[in-house]
């Protein structure tokens, strides 16, 4: 079943969530927020270019006029700096706020983000500022183990939304009763993002909310 979650998993009631309602677990970057757009602006402010020509991050960072991307370790340093200082400035994905407000009438919403610990306060403030006052958990690595530990606590159905196939596959492996949905917010990335018939791919939040509602209205699973 793979390694356990890197951090202790909180109880749903400690997060202010009910175990009697469905649970929807949602990613932030390229799902609720336009991360690549914000990171690109941050890089431009430092005299760099962010060329979205592949579904990657560090391999898309260039010095102007150069054909070889910046060394990955330099990209990682800039990534960490952005999360420390600028991740609270990204724009919400069109339709995301309204969709989660709609879903919150039928389910508990939990935000699960793979981000450095330094970003926790900025990210929590960003969510609240945009009308998304849902509990936030920061994670590292595949999201399947922690999602499985969370959904085991609920008696309702569950759904998971992410842009990355690796996280979706991880959740499908560790929490197979959870409906998995892929959403890629940045239009520049949509044609580049790997996808799989294993997961429902919907890039419009209004349609996605409707599909999630259908999934969590299904027969309540047995948690054992």
């Amino acid at each position: 079943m793979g390694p356990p979650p890197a951090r202790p998993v909180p109880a749903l009631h400690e997060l202010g969530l009910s175990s009697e309602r469905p649970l929807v677990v949602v990613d932030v970057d390229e799902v609720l927020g336009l991360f690549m757009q914000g990171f690109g602006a941050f890089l431009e402010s430092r005299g760099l270019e962010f060329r979205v020509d592949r579904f990657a991050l560090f391999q898309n960072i260039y010095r102007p006029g150069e054909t070889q991307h910046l060394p990955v370790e330099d990209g990682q340093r800039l990534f960490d700096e952005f999360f420390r200082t600028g991740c609270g400035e990204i724009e919400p994905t069109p339709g995301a706020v309204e969709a989660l407000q709609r879903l919150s009438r039928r389910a508990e919403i939990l935000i699960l983000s793979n981000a450095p610990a330094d970003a926790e306060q900025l990210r929590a403030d960003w969510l609240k500022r945009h009308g998304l006052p849902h509990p936030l958990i920061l994670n590292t690595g595949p999201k399947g183990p922690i999602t499985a530990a969370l959904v085991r606590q609920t008696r309702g159905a569950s759904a998971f939304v992410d842009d990355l196939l690796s996280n979706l596959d991880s959740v499908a492996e560790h929490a197979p009763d959870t409906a998995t949905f892929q959403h890629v917010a940045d239009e520049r990335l949509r044609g580049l993002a790997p996808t799989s018939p294993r997961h429902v791919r919907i890039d419009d939040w209004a349609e996605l909310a409707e599909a999630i509602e259908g999934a969590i209205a299904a027969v309540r699973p047995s948690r054992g």
Side-chain angles (χ1 to χ4, degrees), residues 55 162-170 172-173 179-184 190-203:
F55 193 73
D162 206 286
D163 62 313
L164 297 180
L165 205 55
S166 58
N167 286 326
L168 292 157
D169 286 344
S170 179
E173 176 187 354
T180 52
F181 296 89
Q182 184 178 28
H183 177 90
V184 180
R190 289 176 179 173
L192 303 171
T195 190
S196 167
R198 192 179 189 186
H199 316 288
V200 177
R201 167 83 179 266
I202 303 176
D203 292 333

